[in-house]
């Protein structure tokens, strides 16, 4: 499993100018099963994506298509982890 932490590196106006395309991209990746959760950080300095995609290389390839990435408005930090404990209803996330 992966946690992707996005950090905005351009003014919020540039983020907003790319937001519609970014949301469309997220919807496509949800439909493909690439992502399981996402949302804005509070305060609004970036976002977080949870992914159960198979490999880091595959995830990096998927993130390269993100309009935020293409526009150079965000940086991405990827954290890989193995869920060993989960809440009821999330057993499918455990290895």
């Amino acid at each position: 499993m992966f946690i992707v932490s996005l950090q905005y590196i351009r003014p919020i106006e540039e983020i907003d100018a790319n937001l519609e395309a970014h949301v469309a991209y997220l919807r496509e990746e949800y439909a493909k099963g690439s992502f399981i959760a996402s949302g804005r950080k509070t305060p609004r300095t970036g976002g977080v994506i949870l992914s159960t995609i198979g490999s880091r290389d595959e995830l990096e390839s998927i993130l390269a298509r993100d309009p935020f990435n293409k526009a150079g408005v965000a940086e991405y930090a990827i954290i890989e982890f193995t869920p060993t404990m989960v809440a009821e209803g999330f057993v499918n996330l455990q290895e």
Side-chain angles (χ1 to χ4, degrees):
M1 177 173 254
F2 296 92
I3 299 170
V4 180
S5 177
L6 285 77
Q7 183 69 35
Y8 299 150
I9 58 172
R10 302 294 304 155
I12 202 70
E13 296 79 19
E14 290 184 46
I15 302 305
D16 288 341
N18 290 280
L19 188 57
E20 188 176 323
H22 173 71
V23 170
Y25 154 82
L26 290 172
R27 286 190 178 121
E28 288 176 19
E29 294 306 326
Y30 274 104
K32 295 176 187 175
S34 304
F35 300 153
I36 60 169
S38 61
R40 292 179 179 170
K41 291 180 181 176
T42 304
R44 191 176 172 205
T45 58
V48 175
I49 300 170
L50 298 181
S51 176
T52 56
I53 208 71
S55 74
R56 185 183 185 102
D57 287 342
E58 186 178 0
L59 178 58
E60 288 175 349
S61 177
I62 290 166
L63 295 173
R65 296 192 304 264
D66 184 351
F68 279 178
N69 199 355
K70 289 181 173 183
V73 299
E75 292 179 334
Y76 301 73
I78 300 171
I79 302 165
E80 183 173 3
F81 77 105
T82 303
T84 55
M85 293 181 72
V86 296
E88 188 174 326
F90 294 93
V91 175
N92 61 320
L93 298 178
Q94 271 183 300
E95 286 197 350

